Amino acid sequence: MTIRDTAAKDHTRPPGPSEAASGRAVPKPARGKTKHLSLALQGGGSLGAFAWGVLDRLLQEEDLTFDAISGASAGAGNAVVLAGGLLAGGKPEARRRLDHFWERLSQMAPPKGGATASLFADMASRFLSPYQLNPFNLNPLEALLSTEVDFEALRADPPVRLLIAATAVSNGRLQVFRETELTRDMVLASMCLPMLTQAVQIEGERYWDGGYAANPPLTALVEASDASDLLIVQIMPTAGQDLPASAPDIVKRLEQITFNGVFLREAAALTAMARVAGSGSQDPALSRKLQRLRLHHLSAEREMSALSEASGGNLEWPFLLSLRESGRAAAEDWLAHGVSEPIMEKGRLQAPIRTHVRKMLQRLTARQHANRDPKRSTQTCIKSDREEPGS
């Protein structure tokens, strides 16, 4: 059975292939007080399948509702498909549409060629622009988004607040498109990688991928949301090779640094704003929201140690399923433990995040040493994973 075989109206959907392979039963939704949550979904190409898994697990919680969702690039795609599904048939339909969206993305990917074909394609993308390679501006995402999302209905009756990021080509500024104005082209603009697709024109302005300006929008999300809990789903790895030598590896690392740098700067600014909120603020409404903000964080890199070596252009189905399964596992752990342990509350970073950062740095250091001495790889990484939390 494949994911697409599941019924749209089944609230306790049978496990997908990755769930069945893991031997884990689908958790039953917890019952209790309704919890409101806002989501910040980072972009990063096919790595967005990790966020697909996170959303899939969260949608199983009957007592969890989404207040606002911000997204850039793949995060924007996940956000609007989720919203379209919620509007059309609630959480079961949202899960079904996310499944179909990612399965169709995989099916639309060009067949994988050999080393020579890959080298030729890489060189072509370096020397020829999409205006030369694709003069008719054909984009398969247009039909896919139109199939999964009724944008007219979404604008008229949005089930969740949406903040979709795009980058203005003329000045590099962030443009945030909201749910009541959202069109397919706005989502395509957010997902527009300039070396792969032509810039998307909206009301006279041309736009590129939103990840260049905000990946994803955080401050704007806090301003728009009424929920005190905000969950960031980070999919781009922060760690990379010591020194990428090949052209594809260099480009990949540059993308990781670029897309994560925007996120890290805004996250640091948001933390600083929350720390001083209330002390003579010129925006009392935002100040109150910052004072009660509980910030949560899920990281694909934390779940998949080799993520830095993966390509955001890999749309092979087994790879997407592995990301989805990791996202589901991360969300499961967060629902069990992380909901009550935000990484930031009342402007203060909590002790667990400091411990996590220290352990992450230990793992990264161990991985770097392992790269230099492959014989020590397994032993060193296992040792770093066994460090005590208080060490």
Side-chain angles (χ1 to χ4, degrees), residues 22-23 37 82 103 111 172 198 203-204 219 226 293 305 355 376:
S22 69
L37 180 69
L82 168 68
E103 187 174 27
Q198 296 183 23
E203 297 181 356
T219 306
D226 290 331
L293 177 64
S305 59
T355 300
R376 298 176 56 209

Side-chain angles (χ1 to χ4, degrees), residues 318-369:
F319 176 64
L320 298 182
L321 284 181
S322 68
L323 284 165
R324 173 183 179 270
E325 181 64 15
S326 295
R328 281 187 56 87
E332 177 69 33
D333 184 65
W334 180 75
L335 288 167
H337 309 289
V339 174
S340 59
E341 298 178 356
I343 64 170
M344 188 189 78
E345 188 171 14
K346 297 180 180 179
R348 296 181 180 179
L349 289 175
Q350 304 302 305
I353 188 59
R354 291 197 292 270
T355 300
H356 158 65
V357 170
R358 183 167 61 250
K359 292 182 70 177
M360 183 175 70
L361 290 174
Q362 289 172 347
R363 290 190 180 96
L364 295 179
T365 301
R367 196 178 306 141
Q368 291 171 352
H369 286 306

Side-chain angles (χ1 to χ4, degrees), residues 15-201:
S18 55
E19 296 162 334
S22 69
R24 290 208 306 264
V26 175
K28 294 182 178 179
R31 294 185 178 276
K33 184 178 179 181
T34 299
K35 188 170 189 63
H36 303 285
L37 180 69
S38 286
L39 296 167
L41 305 179
Q42 194 182 47
S46 62
L47 304 186
F50 176 85
W52 164 34
V54 171
L55 296 174
D56 187 71
R57 178 62 189 92
L58 295 181
L59 284 165
Q60 289 181 288
E61 295 295 301
E62 292 182 355
D63 302 310
L64 180 66
T65 62
F66 302 124
D67 182 73
I69 306 175
S70 71
S73 198
N78 276 326
V80 297
V81 172
L82 168 68
L86 288 175
L87 179 63
K91 293 180 178 180
E93 180 65 10
R95 296 180 70 200
R96 189 196 71 79
R97 292 198 183 193
L98 282 166
D99 288 349
H100 187 253
F101 176 73
W102 282 97
E103 187 174 27
R104 288 291 296 125
L105 277 177
S106 180
Q107 292 170 351
M108 291 189 307
K112 187 176 181 180
T116 302
S118 298
L119 178 61
F120 177 80
D122 180 70
M123 290 179 63
S125 66
R126 300 282 180 267
F127 294 102
L128 298 175
S129 79
Y131 301 89
Q132 297 166 303
L133 291 173
N134 184 13
F136 296 105
N137 198 22
L138 302 177
N139 190 340
L141 283 174
E142 293 181 1
L144 181 55
L145 285 171
S146 295
T147 299
E148 302 301 335
V149 183
D150 183 340
F151 284 94
E152 183 176 355
L154 185 62
R155 289 191 298 270
D157 186 23
V160 62
R161 297 180 177 95
L162 293 173
L163 298 90
I164 304 303
T167 305
V169 178
S170 63
N171 54 31
R173 291 179 180 174
L174 168 66
Q175 174 67 49
V176 176
F177 298 112
R178 296 301 307 271
E179 66 280 0
T180 54
E181 63 177 340
L182 198 62
T183 65
R184 183 190 66 183
D185 282 352
M186 292 175 181
V187 182
L188 290 173
S190 183
M191 303 175 75
C192 175
L193 289 171
M195 294 305 295
L196 297 179
T197 55
Q198 296 183 23
V200 179
Q201 183 170 336

Side-chain angles (χ1 to χ4, degrees), residues 282-309:
Q282 296 182 348
D283 190 341
L286 176 60
S287 180
R288 286 192 296 270
K289 289 183 177 183
L290 289 168
Q291 286 177 313
R292 61 186 178 88
L293 177 64
R294 289 161 49 89
L295 196 62
H296 307 263
H297 177 243
L298 292 181
S299 167
E301 183 178 39
R302 192 159 59 218
E303 301 295 322
M304 304 179 72
S305 59
L307 192 67
S308 64
E309 302 170 10

